[in-house]
Amino acid sequence: KAGVTQTPRYLIKTRGQQVTLSCSPISGHRSVSWYQQTPGQGLQFLFEYFSETQRNKGNFPGRFSGRQFSNSRSEMNVSTLELGDSALYLCASSLASGSGTEAFFGQGTRLTVV
Amino acid sequence: AQSVAQPEDQVNVAEGNPLTVKCTYSVSGNPYLFWYVQYPNRGLQFLLKYITGDNLVKGSYGFEAEFNKSQTSFHLKKPSALVSDSALYFCAVRDMGGRGGNKLTFGTGTQLKVEL
């Protein structure tokens, strides 16, 4: 069974640009969550999508957005990039939402903003 | 609001010795608790979880964790450490009764170093 796939693995962008990251969950999983990992702030929840609907959102500015498609694949978009957006962005997929099921993480996308 | 504390930034242990990585949590209701491990430049790997039932939970690679409701703790343990266990370990909590969906709140992580 294939794991969670995130593309691309590495990205370098310039301040002010926008970026789109992609996540393909484990087959059959309907919940996709996104996290930002930085040395200073640690792991922070961005948002969760379940059956194409945003289920929950973390404390991030509106520049961070996401969506989920009918095949459960998800994308997150960051507009008007800032230097502080440099981070490892992790996607996690789960079978269900709001239950005790564990989340399985992808290898992440390393975004560097210069 | 839910929170997790991992009081030790780093834990050092000799190979073959038992290891413990500490975690305490705070939720308004009953918790779902998880441990994840992260190797350099990789995502998080699931180790084990506590949902309900037995307080001692067994997981992958010989790891186990003990849930203690009165102390609101969920410490990760392994009877005999291996050098290959050296990695960054995260404890996470989800409120069982909350409306947070699958939102996980993570601790700050504990770097485990196992030396020969």
Side-chain angles (χ1 to χ4, degrees):
Chain A
K1 201 174 193 181
V4 180
T5 303
Q6 291 188 246
T7 56
R9 289 291 312 278
Y10 302 92
L11 266 178
I12 300 176
K13 290 287 187 179
T14 304
R15 271 183 303 174
Q17 287 186 314
Q18 75 165 15
V19 67
T20 299
L21 312 182
S22 179
C23 172
S24 293
I26 292 170
S27 178
H29 285 197
R30 295 167 63 193
S31 168
V32 173
S33 299
W34 289 88
Y35 292 83
Q36 182 196 64
Q37 185 177 23
T38 59
Q41 299 298 317
L43 280 155
Q44 294 189 88
F45 173 79
L46 280 156
F47 28 65
E48 179 198 359
Y49 287 87
F50 180 78
S51 294
E52 302 179 65
T53 301
Q54 188 178 84
R55 175 88 195 251
N56 200 359
K57 191 176 189 307
N59 295 323
F60 280 83
R63 301 185 296 107
F64 292 81
S65 63
R67 59 178 176 169
Q68 186 179 35
F69 302 95
S70 58
N71 62 358
S72 293
R73 189 177 72 84
S74 177
E75 290 181 347
M76 68 163 280
N77 184 276
V78 188
S79 62
T80 319
L81 284 165
E82 300 177 359
L83 295 179
D85 297 332
S86 295
L88 181 66
Y89 290 88
L90 294 166
C91 165
S93 84
S94 299
L95 193 59
S97 181
S99 66
T101 55
E102 58 271 30
F104 295 91
F105 285 79
Q107 295 194 49
T109 294
R110 172 75 62 184
L111 172 65
T112 302
V113 182
V114 297
Chain B
Q2 53 199 43
S3 65
V4 174
Q6 292 182 243
E8 301 154 319
D9 290 336
Q10 182 160 320
V11 169
N12 296 319
V13 65
E15 189 176 50
N17 283 1
L19 69 88
T20 299
V21 182
K22 296 179 181 177
C23 170
T24 58
Y25 66 91
S26 174
V27 294
S28 55
N30 291 315
Y32 293 133
L33 292 158
F34 304 84
W35 275 102
Y36 286 86
V37 60
Q38 187 176 35
Y39 294 95
N41 298 314
R42 302 294 296 273
L44 277 66
Q45 292 181 30
F46 169 74
L47 281 178
L48 51 77
K49 67 179 179 183
Y50 172 81
I51 305 300
T52 186
D54 287 342
N55 290 340
L56 185 64
V57 178
K58 294 187 183 297
S60 306
Y61 313 118
F63 284 94
E64 57 189 30
E66 187 166 10
F67 171 66
N68 187 317
K69 188 172 184 178
S70 63
Q71 297 185 4
T72 61
S73 67
F74 189 56
H75 301 331
L76 181 70
K77 300 181 180 185
K78 187 174 182 182
S80 178
L82 299 172
V83 171
S84 57
D85 293 330
S86 298
L88 186 57
Y89 290 80
F90 290 96
C91 180
V93 69
R94 179 188 299 151
D95 191 338
M96 189 186 296
R99 295 187 175 185
N102 279 348
K103 174 185 176 181
L104 288 169
T105 298
F106 285 89
T108 51
T110 298
Q111 185 70 47
L112 174 66
K113 188 174 182 181
V114 182
E115 299 165 313
L116 290 170

